[in-house]
Amino acid sequence: LSACAQGGSTGGQQKELKVAILAPLSGPVPTFGVSTRDGALMAIDEWNAKGGVLGMKIVPIVEDSQCTPDPAVNAANKVIDQDGVKFIIGEVCSKASIPVSEIANAKGVIQISPTSTNEQVTVDANGNVKPYIFRACFIDPFQGFVGAKFATEQLGAKTAFVMLDQANDYVKGLATEFAKNFEMMGGKVVGTVSYTSTDTDFSVILGKIAEAKPDVVYLPDYYNIVNLVAKQAKEKGINVPFIGGDGWDSPDLDLAAAAGGYFTNHYSPDDPRPEVVNFLKAYGEKYKDESGNPKVPDALAALAYDAANVLLQAINDAGTTDTAKVKDTLEKITYKGVSGTITFDANHNPIKSAALLAVKPDGVKFETIVNP
Ligand code: PHE
């Protein structure tokens, strides 16, 4: 508060609060980056319109971290060491958020990933929480459970085939959680096959699926890979439903190819809660698509908006930008967000429900909500 008074008394030399946004604006999943940036910027703009936080104007620093460890680490070092940032929103992808978290935590910089669902983002290899690291989303043990429960109970699946990229922490973790839960629920995993993120021809794996005739295929990767696999599956006449996770959420998901599939997600724009309705309206007024129509925020936009808001609320409540105090405030906060209410458990993970969505040729439709 003294910063505010000083800023005012020295003739408009208002103090600034820098907040970094690490988002994959280029690389394999650019829609993730755009939505994340836009959701976080909208929250920051709203705070600035109300006078900022603790009398300071919030200055966003957006970096393209590419959903890839090295560029993400370089971006984190740049914002911390050169720009003097103490607060980071990002990254989106778990495999980029994990190495960033090591740096941020060691330097006492608060990092809130809006969307990284792998457990290792907030806990180290010994299972200890990283004090300065938080996230705004549920974690993959829950997401994998929800996918398995849906396959078992709603689709009546007894057998599943799992496809995964071993080099992607998110994909590997979610595939493992799905398989574990599916078998615990009485199902059988009849095949598990790996590919790499640079593969473009999936005919060998699809041949194995055609032979195994599973009731479902679990493909917990991002939309760019899902588009390739789903299209080739349709071309081969494979009609087994594909199930995936939040990584499918993109305006660039190939609906024609992925139709008949299902995925777990953090939020649905069809949710009638007033937080969602108001967010949709404000977002659509601020951001337009190429044809000038209001953009519909995806889960990444909603979670980035929530992550930025929960961070700024914590700084405001703490009454200081001292990150040791802000992290303590975050540990006790209750924030009613667009994606649900955020309170952090001992491992800095919010306990939140998941939405189950169905892909149809004309869009993604809300099916049901699953509570933890
Ligand atoms: N959960 C994914 C990860 O950890 C990121 C993601 C979240 C992608 C939400 C799309 C939507 O890598």
Side-chain angles (χ1 to χ4, degrees):
L1 287 176
S2 67
C4 168
Q6 269 171 22
S9 64
T10 52
Q13 272 224 355
Q14 203 195 21
K15 279 204 80 181
E16 292 182 339
L17 175 72
K18 291 177 185 165
V19 173
I21 302 166
L22 304 191
L25 295 163
S26 70
V29 286
T31 72
F32 292 174
V34 171
S35 293
T36 300
R37 177 197 64 197
D38 290 353
L41 288 179
M42 188 168 118
I44 290 173
D45 285 351
E46 288 175 1
W47 277 80
N48 279 333
K50 292 182 297 182
V53 65
L54 305 178
M56 292 176 284
K57 180 174 191 265
I58 305 143
V59 178
I61 298 177
V62 179
E63 296 289 336
D64 178 10
S65 41
Q66 299 176 39
C67 184
T68 306
D70 282 350
V73 162
N74 292 340
N77 282 325
K78 183 252 173 195
V79 296
I80 297 170
D81 298 336
Q82 291 177 35
D83 300 322
V85 159
K86 295 202 284 178
F87 302 96
I88 294 176
I89 296 165
E91 225 261 4
V92 167
C93 302
S94 291
K95 71 170 180 179
S97 286
I98 293 169
V100 168
S101 74
E102 302 297 336
I103 295 166
N105 192 53
K107 294 189 172 174
V109 169
I110 290 186
Q111 176 192 1
I112 305 186
S113 170
T115 46
S116 290
T117 45
N118 186 278
E119 272 188 293
Q120 300 304 313
V121 174
T122 61
V123 295
D124 65 20
N126 302 318
N128 297 319
V129 69
K130 302 172 194 171
Y132 289 89
I133 314 302
F134 296 80
R135 77 179 101 216
C137 52
F138 56 60
I139 54 175
D140 286 332
F142 174 63
Q143 181 165 213
F145 163 82
V146 173
K149 190 171 145 86
F150 176 79
T152 308
E153 291 179 6
Q154 305 297 312
L155 301 182
K158 304 238 171 337
T159 57
F161 194 101
V162 177
M163 289 181 65
L164 76 158
D165 171 2
Q166 302 272 1
N168 184 321
D169 297 307
Y170 158 72
V171 177
K172 195 177 160 200
L174 193 46
T176 306
E177 292 297 336
F178 171 86
K180 189 175 89 189
N181 282 287
F182 187 71
E183 299 222 309
M184 257 163 28
M185 292 168 192
K188 191 168 167 35
V189 175
V190 293
T192 304
V193 178
S194 303
Y195 54 85
T196 65
S197 62
T198 49
D199 287 351
T200 51
D201 178 356
F202 294 90
S203 53
V204 173
I205 301 179
L206 290 168
K208 288 184 181 158
I209 292 172
E211 221 170 87
K213 296 194 178 59
D215 295 330
V216 293
V217 177
Y218 196 59
L219 174 58
D221 210 323
Y222 303 134
Y223 67 92
N224 61 320
I225 298 285
V226 175
N227 285 349
L228 289 171
V229 175
K231 188 156 186 279
Q232 291 170 32
K234 284 246 147 79
E235 283 163 7
K236 271 189 173 294
I238 295 173
N239 283 316
V240 181
F242 278 73
I243 303 176
D246 50 358
W248 286 33
D249 188 15
S250 171
D252 286 355
L253 180 69
D254 182 341
L255 294 176
Y262 301 89
F263 64 101
T264 43
N265 206 359
H266 305 268
Y267 132 107
S268 163
D270 300 332
D271 189 332
R273 281 183 304 121
E275 289 84 1
V276 176
V277 174
N278 295 337
F279 174 65
L280 276 172
K281 187 163 171 284
Y283 193 92
E285 277 164 13
K286 190 172 174 76
Y287 301 115
K288 310 285 177 199
D289 67 16
E290 297 97 54
S291 348
N293 297 316
K295 272 197 182 180
V296 178
D298 54 18
L300 296 121
L303 284 166
Y305 180 77
D306 284 352
N309 273 313
V310 81
L311 171 67
L312 295 169
Q313 188 65 50
I315 295 170
N316 183 75
D317 292 356
T320 172
T321 57
D322 176 348
T323 56
K325 300 224 168 67
V326 176
K327 80 165 171 31
D328 291 345
T329 305
L330 276 168
E331 285 186 336
K332 290 182 223 100
I333 210 162
T334 300
Y335 182 80
K336 210 169 170 198
V338 172
S339 62
T341 299
I342 297 178
T343 54
F344 297 104
D345 71 7
N347 286 337
H348 294 180
N349 300 319
I351 309 297
K352 294 162 89 186
S353 42
L356 210 299
L357 308 177
V359 186
K360 311 271 173 176
D362 60 337
V364 172
K365 304 280 177 291
F366 176 73
E367 286 270 307
T368 176
I369 284 275
V370 182
N371 294 312

